[in-house]
């Protein structure tokens, strides 16, 4: 396949207004991979817990407003355009079998901690009837405090147990 390129007879200079419009259009284009997530496919029992959790999730977390990722689902939620993303009904992480895995507790909810390369941490609930995963952007690489916002909704809607 060949491509043709036609040269204009005179150099074309964009005026300041046209340049600003072009920059604004480029700036509004979303290429952020966190703007969309894979929706989990849990069992019907876990999906029911996840739907209940979805209704209880906060409107803001760590000062970030809720901006759910695409595709819209009762199994996913987001805050700050992908800075914090929750997926409910995920598969049990293999890391839970590793006796050297790290965990943390936030207001009565236990979370498995997985450090991700080139990104922030991923936390997954443990000892619950449905696994809830929360990922943070690199801005939260050393800050697990946003997990506290999920403790009450998780405790209320996703029962303890295996």
């Amino acid at each position: 396949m060949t491509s043709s390129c036609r040269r204009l007879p005179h150099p074309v200079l964009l005026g300041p207004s046209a340049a600003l419009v072009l920059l604004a259009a480029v700036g509004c284009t979303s290429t952020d991979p966190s703007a969309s997530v894979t929706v989990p496919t849990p069992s019907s029992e876990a999906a029911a817990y996840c739907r209940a959790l979805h209704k209880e999730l906060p409107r803001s977390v760590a000062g970030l407003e809720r901006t759910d990722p695409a595709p819209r689902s009762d199994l996913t939620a987001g805050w700050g355009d992908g800075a914090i993303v929750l997926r409910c009904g995920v598969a049990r992480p293999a890391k839970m079998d590793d006796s050297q895995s790290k965990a943390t507790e936030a207001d009565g909810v236990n979370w498995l901690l997985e450090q991700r390369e080139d990104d922030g941490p991923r936390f997954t609930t443990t000892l619950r009837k449905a696994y809830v995963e929360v990922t943070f952007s690199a801005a939260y690489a050393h800050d697990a405090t946003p997990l506290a916002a999920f403790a009450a909704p998780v405790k209320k809607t996703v029962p303890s147990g295996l």
Side-chain angles (χ1 to χ4, degrees):
M1 178 161 108
T2 61
S3 64
S4 63
C5 181
R6 190 181 91 162
R7 290 207 149 165
L8 295 174
H10 313 305
V12 176
L13 298 175
L14 294 176
S17 298
L20 286 174
V21 169
L22 179 61
L23 286 174
V26 170
C28 292
T29 304
S30 176
T31 58
D32 183 5
S34 64
S36 67
V37 298
T38 302
V39 177
T41 54
S43 68
S44 59
E45 178 186 19
Y49 298 135
C50 293
R51 283 190 296 278
L53 173 63
H54 191 80
K55 293 175 186 173
E56 298 294 325
L57 292 172
R59 289 181 186 237
S60 67
V61 173
L64 302 173
E65 292 301 312
R66 187 158 169 182
T67 52
D68 289 347
R72 297 263 185 211
S73 170
D74 286 348
L75 305 176
T76 62
W79 293 264
D81 291 325
I84 299 173
V85 175
L86 179 144
R87 297 185 326 130
C88 185
V90 298
R92 183 180 190 275
K95 275 283 208 191
M96 284 193 185
D97 294 330
D98 183 354
S99 62
Q100 302 299 310
S101 292
K102 295 181 180 178
T104 190
E105 186 267 344
D107 292 343
V109 176
N110 294 313
W111 301 86
L112 169 73
L113 165 62
E114 295 177 90
Q115 292 294 344
R116 300 179 300 160
E117 287 187 35
D118 302 324
D119 216 342
R122 173 176 39 226
F123 297 91
T124 308
T125 56
T126 64
L127 305 173
R128 296 272 162 189
K129 298 246 181 198
Y131 293 104
V132 179
E133 171 192 279
V134 177
T135 55
F136 294 160
S137 69
Y140 295 94
H142 302 288
D143 183 8
T145 56
L147 284 179
F150 303 111
V154 167
K155 286 191 288 189
K156 181 177 181 179
T157 60
V158 184
S160 296
L162 294 175

